[in-house]
């Protein structure tokens, strides 16, 4: 499982996910706000299943010496 979420994409997922979860927990938004858990999770682990299926990545390639 290679990371395919990086940089700004990852930060935005964490922030937006956390805001949605907080709003859902306080009753400010409906049940759909709990979908923020998906954004939060994909942002924290750095891997998004739909990105993998589509062959998409926002991570920069890092050629590390072996």
């Amino acid at each position: 499982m290679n990371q395919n979420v990086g940089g700004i994409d990852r930060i935005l997922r964490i922030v937006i996910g956390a805001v949605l979860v907080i709003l859902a927990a306080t009753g400010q938004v409906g049940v759909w706000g709990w979908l923020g858990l998906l954004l939060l999770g994909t942002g924290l682990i750095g891997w998004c299943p739909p990105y993998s299926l589509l062959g998409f990545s926002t991570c920069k390639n890092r050629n590390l010496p072996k």
Side-chain angles (χ1 to χ4, degrees), residues 1 3-18 35-51 58-59:
M1 183 168 78
Q3 286 191 342
N4 59 9
V5 179
I8 295 174
D9 186 11
R10 197 167 182 182
I11 293 168
L12 287 174
R13 286 171 182 258
I14 293 169
V15 170
I16 293 170
L35 291 175
L37 288 172
L38 294 174
L39 288 174
L40 191 58
T42 58
L44 290 173
I45 65 171
W47 183 72
C48 179
Y51 276 15
T58 57
C59 281

